[in-house]
Amino acid sequence: MSYVTSIVERLRAAGCVFAEEEAGLLAAAATDDVHLAGMVARRVDGEPLEHVVGWAEFCGLRVEVGAGAFVPRRRTEFLVQEAVELARPGAVVLDLCCGVGALGAAVAAQVPGGVELHVADIDPAALAYARRNVAPYGGSVWEGDLYGALPAELRGRVDVLVVNAPYVPTGEIGLMPPEARDHEPLVSLDGGSDGLDVHRRVAAEAARWLAPGGHLLIETSVRQAPLTASALTGGGLEVRAVTSEELYATVVIGRAPAPAV
């Protein structure tokens, strides 16, 4: 039995559905056999593959991640698609609750002519990765609790505000896959009693930070979309919801009032 075959069998026995692909990624990331053996052991023990290899693929980018960081999900690529359609060249783009900065980096990478990118999060460990991920796009990184992290000069200037805030209800955290609940920070998963505590806080102040006619895009679930939409409406935004059946993704979009003509 070859060494690679034995790795595949260990991964498959540990419950890895795509064991062959994972074995290839682990082998490519390893510097030597000892390093590879250590990475395989971490994966078999349940650590997310992205944490083990140090990156996640997101919107065609290789985004740096690591232990203790939230791994960007493929469904969130739908939010990026919607944001890119709304972002003009040179737009001020803010990725709030940015984690490792994947959304902001992906939007900046896809808007022709680039954007003025800002990302913010409360977690300093996540921001260490975000700084590297947004650096190619000249992104500014801010640490703090939601809008409290931001410089005052951004107020009323944000054209596109993207948010992938936690929206899992506290009582459902235990139902999440072990990779998430055991290895990602609780602050990036727990959305409060109904999952929408952070959504409400984002919505309450969004209009103050959005430029006239600017947009807030926030990921939610189909079940929670009406409540997320209600929060945005309560914040003074014009609201619509969009869904991708392919990615099982739902995004609520709020538009700030345009200036009177």
Side-chain angles (χ1 to χ4, degrees):
M1 180 186 299
S2 72
Y3 188 38
V4 173
T5 300
S6 67
I7 291 174
V8 171
E9 293 196 353
R10 286 187 64 194
L11 293 173
R12 188 176 289 123
C16 300
V17 177
F18 303 103
E20 292 84 358
E21 291 85 347
E22 291 197 14
L25 290 170
L26 290 167
T31 55
D32 54 38
D33 287 348
V34 174
H35 186 206
L36 177 58
M39 290 196 298
V40 171
R42 289 169 60 191
R43 181 63 181 131
V44 167
D45 285 343
E47 193 169 342
L49 176 68
E50 294 84 358
H51 285 181
V52 176
V53 300
W55 60 274
E57 183 178 349
F58 184 74
C59 291
L61 302 179
R62 182 174 286 202
V63 177
E64 287 193 38
V65 298
F70 180 82
V71 177
R73 313 303 202 237
R74 183 167 180 262
R75 64 174 172 269
T76 308
E77 293 183 356
F78 180 59
L79 189 155
V80 172
Q81 295 169 16
E82 294 295 315
V84 169
E85 291 185 7
L86 296 170
R88 56 174 173 76
V92 177
V93 174
L94 170 61
D95 181 358
L96 199 62
C97 303
C98 71
V100 300
L103 276 72
V107 172
Q110 294 184 45
V111 175
V115 301
E116 179 186 328
L117 177 61
H118 298 265
V119 303
D121 201 279
I122 198 171
D123 182 358
L127 290 180
Y129 295 103
R131 287 185 177 90
R132 296 194 290 272
N133 288 325
V134 304
Y137 313 103
S140 297
V141 179
W142 310 100
E143 181 180 342
D145 185 19
L146 297 182
Y147 301 103
L150 305 177
E153 54 266 29
L154 265 184
R155 192 183 297 268
R157 292 188 55 236
V158 177
D159 298 302
V160 178
L161 170 54
V162 295
V163 181
N164 184 21
Y167 57 92
V168 178
T170 302
E172 297 179 16
I173 296 294
L175 303 178
M176 297 186 71
E179 287 185 8
R181 68 173 188 261
D182 294 341
H183 296 279
E184 293 179 327
L186 187 62
V187 69
S188 69
L189 304 175
D190 190 346
S193 59
D194 67 352
L196 300 176
D197 285 358
V198 183
H199 286 197
R200 294 187 186 94
R201 294 182 59 208
V202 169
E205 293 189 53
R208 302 174 190 172
W209 294 89
L210 289 172
H215 292 85
L216 161 64
L217 301 92
I218 186 164
E219 181 176 294
T220 189
S221 68
V222 171
R223 173 171 59 93
Q224 295 162 303
L227 291 176
T228 300
S230 178
L232 270 61
T233 299
L237 306 180
E238 302 170 3
V239 178
R240 60 188 174 94
V242 291
T243 298
S244 167
E245 294 184 3
E246 177 187 0
L247 294 176
Y248 301 100
T250 299
V251 174
V252 173
I253 302 174
R255 180 178 181 272
V261 178

